[in-house]
Amino acid sequence: MTIKNSNIEHFKDTLQREGLRLTSQRIAILEDILASEEHRECDDILFSLRSNQISVSRATVYRTLEILEKGGFVRKMNIGDGRFRYENKLPKPHHDHMICLECGRIIEFVDQEIEARQVHLTKQHHFKLVRHIHQLFGICEDCQPAAANKGV
Amino acid sequence: MTIKNSNIEHFKDTLQREGLRLTSQRIAILEDILASEEHRECDDILFSLRSNQISVSRATVYRTLEILEKGGFVRKMNIGDGRFRYENKLPKPHHDHMICLECGRIIEFVDQEIEARQVHLTKQHHFKLVRHIHQLFGICEDCQPAAANKGV
DNA sequence: ATTTATATTGAGACTGAGTCTCAATAAAGC
DNA sequence: GCTTTATTGAGACTCAGTCTCAATATAAAT
Ligand SMILES: [Mn+2]
Ligand SMILES: [Mn+2]
Ligand SMILES: [Zn+2]
Ligand SMILES: [Zn+2]
């Protein structure tokens, strides 16, 4: 495999710790995710696998994504379109998302001031912060002329 | 009606502008929403109406909520549990939400610094900001002892 | 290498929030 | 009151995601 083999080893360890088994389907799914930088839904991954002649069932993709999420390999997110999306979490530090309402493009951002204010605000309320969602919806640079023509 | 009648008038105007009709069901749904401060899902509203001997169909509640959202009477939100929630938007300025993972309690907050940073960040990317979601998930003050006992 | 115990898989049934259809009903304007 | 047409409710439908279960594959033991 050209994809970093250490990730597969790490996955194997994670599985073993839970009494789970390393199967060809699980490896294929993880490799497909590691090879992508995108925020993909289940079927994107499924079709990507199939286009590489790898046949896996949709149920197995969902089941594996759940394991990968728990193991910290994958981030599961929801941009409000009724489907979950998954992104390769390994190479990336925490970030949030700007989402273009026109073309679906996703721009990643982080802001330490915002992160700090979140901590501050939750402390004020004696609230123990576990995780957060911060999504900025709007029109990306490329879509602004197009959107203006439609009157957005 | 004890609920502000001006709101019903305003609703009537909104409907008329779209060629829609003011029906007893629509009035009942709006009044139920105006009487609540909570972030409720469709069935909460439906059962609340039924407990007041008002029988409306689920489809009509959904249909009315859509009109109310477009008209700015109601805010539709999603806290990631697979259902939409609706809150009375009229008396409140913009705010975001802290959500307790243990009891579901919702604490509202606003922070002008965060709001300003959002504008700044989107400008940097030449992204036209339309709306945003900012949700802080964690354990509320009341649930912290209970959560500690469970090992959270 | 064979055997054994059990985790995993795929096909398709199932779930549940939300939407759609359509015949019956009700609002609004005349 | 009459006419036009928007609205309603019942239930069919959609679709992402979950569950079931018999067949299969893994990994450990022998
Ligand atoms: Mn991302
Ligand atoms: Mn709120
Ligand atoms: Zn765009
Ligand atoms: Zn709580």
Side-chain angles (χ1 to χ4, degrees), chain B residues 96-113:
Chain B
D96 293 294
H97 300 101
M98 293 183 205
I99 299 146
C100 179
L101 296 165
E102 204 62 34
C103 70
R105 180 178 162 200
I106 294 180
I107 300 167
E108 303 184 335
F109 72 90
V110 226
D111 186 80
Q112 290 313 322
E113 279 195 46

Side-chain angles (χ1 to χ4, degrees), chain A residues 100-105 139-143:
Chain A
C100 179
L101 296 165
E102 204 62 34
C103 70
R105 180 177 162 200
I139 313 293
C140 81
E141 189 170 11
D142 295 349
C143 290

Side-chain angles (χ1 to χ4, degrees), chain B residues 107-125:
Chain B
I107 300 167
E108 303 184 335
F109 72 90
V110 226
D111 186 80
Q112 290 313 322
E113 279 195 46
I114 293 177
E115 301 289 325
R117 291 301 294 166
Q118 290 180 159
V119 170
H120 177 78
L121 287 162
T122 48
K123 271 191 185 148
Q124 270 187 339
H125 288 272

Side-chain angles (χ1 to χ4, degrees), chain A residues 56-110:
Chain A
V56 202
S57 72
R58 185 174 282 116
T60 294
V61 176
Y62 277 117
R63 287 187 283 231
T64 303
L65 284 167
E66 196 184 334
I67 296 169
L68 290 171
E69 192 203 0
K70 282 187 190 151
F73 294 83
V74 151
R75 177 170 173 191
K76 183 179 182 179
M77 58 180 282
N78 187 329
I79 60 170
D81 60 357
R83 270 156 286 160
F84 288 105
R85 289 164 184 273
Y86 303 85
E87 69 173 314
N88 175 5
K89 189 177 170 183
L90 291 182
K92 294 187 199 170
H94 167 72
H95 60 267
D96 293 296
H97 300 101
M98 295 182 202
I99 298 144
C100 179
L101 296 165
E102 204 62 34
C103 70
R105 180 177 162 200
I106 295 181
I107 300 168
E108 303 184 335
F109 72 91
V110 228

Side-chain angles (χ1 to χ4, degrees), chain B residues 43-141:
Chain B
D43 274 17
D44 292 331
I45 296 164
L46 194 58
F47 297 154
S48 167
L49 288 165
R50 288 189 183 162
S51 76
N52 293 326
Q53 334 304 333
I54 297 165
S55 161
V56 203
S57 73
R58 185 174 282 113
T60 295
V61 175
Y62 277 116
R63 287 188 281 231
T64 304
L65 284 168
E66 195 185 335
I67 296 170
L68 290 171
E69 193 204 0
K70 281 188 191 150
F73 293 85
V74 151
R75 177 171 172 191
K76 182 178 184 179
M77 59 181 279
N78 186 330
I79 61 170
D81 61 356
R83 270 155 285 160
F84 287 105
R85 288 165 185 275
Y86 302 85
E87 68 174 312
N88 174 4
K89 189 178 171 183
L90 290 182
K92 294 186 198 172
H94 168 73
H95 60 269
D96 293 294
H97 300 101
M98 293 183 205
I99 299 146
C100 179
L101 296 165
E102 204 62 34
C103 70
R105 180 178 162 200
I106 294 180
I107 300 167
E108 303 184 335
F109 72 90
V110 226
D111 186 80
Q112 290 313 322
E113 279 195 46
I114 293 177
E115 301 289 325
R117 291 301 294 166
Q118 290 180 159
V119 170
H120 177 78
L121 287 162
T122 48
K123 271 191 185 148
Q124 270 187 339
H125 288 272
H126 306 100
F127 185 93
K128 187 175 167 189
L129 182 59
V130 173
R131 61 189 174 80
H132 69 267
I133 294 174
H134 197 178
Q135 298 176 336
L136 309 180
F137 294 90
I139 312 293
C140 81
E141 188 169 11

Side-chain angles (χ1 to χ4, degrees), chain B residues 14-40:
Chain B
T14 306
L15 291 170
Q16 241 160 11
R17 215 170 302 125
E18 306 281 333
L20 304 175
R21 293 174 185 176
L22 186 67
T23 66
S24 64
Q25 290 90 335
R26 286 177 178 166
I27 293 172
I29 293 164
L30 175 55
E31 284 180 344
D32 196 277
I33 286 166
L34 294 177
S36 167
E37 291 284 296
E38 288 160 64
H39 303 79
R40 298 186 297 167

